[in-house]
Amino acid sequence: MGMGNLAKMAQQMQADMARIQQELESLQVEGSAGGGVVKAVVTGKQEMVSVTIDPSVVDPDDVEMLQDLVVAAVGDALMNARSTAEQKLARVTGGLQIPGM
């Protein structure tokens, strides 16, 4: 493999990475807890967009349970976003771990 081919492959990889980064910014991933009574939505860049709480789960005498459900739903959404990002990036990098991506 010549240097020209290597440079061309690097440019293609760089373009693919930029495209995936752009896709991740607009991607929205959902996570849930409590069988779906609390849902959280984050972007592929792991920025929180929304939290939805079913009114049936709101109990003023058990605020801790609701707090736990919110934390669990957000954690699930973030885990789903990370997993999706890793899958998309692995297609470009061939599984090579690139710091900061």
Side-chain angles (χ1 to χ4, degrees):
M1 177 180 296
M3 289 302 282
N5 284 342
L6 191 57
K8 194 175 209 175
M9 286 175 57
Q11 285 177 330
Q12 181 62 46
M13 184 182 231
Q14 189 175 27
D16 290 343
M17 293 292 286
R19 178 184 48 78
I20 287 175
Q21 291 293 342
Q22 200 168 25
E23 284 178 22
L24 291 174
E25 287 177 15
S26 63
L27 176 72
Q28 292 194 351
V29 181
E30 183 177 289
S32 65
V37 293
V38 177
K39 297 177 184 174
V41 177
V42 298
T43 68
K45 299 290 278 183
Q46 301 180 28
E47 297 168 344
M48 192 140 122
V49 176
S50 68
V51 173
T52 305
I53 301 171
D54 186 308
S56 69
V57 77
V58 179
D59 179 356
D61 294 327
D62 194 1
V63 174
E64 284 185 18
M65 180 194 63
L66 181 56
Q67 291 169 336
D68 290 344
L69 288 172
V70 170
V71 169
V74 171
D76 187 45
L78 290 170
M79 183 181 67
N80 292 340
R82 278 191 295 271
S83 176
T84 300
E86 287 171 3
Q87 289 172 8
K88 287 181 173 287
L89 290 170
R91 283 187 235 141
V92 173
T93 64
L96 177 68
Q97 296 294 321
I98 299 174
M101 295 291 168

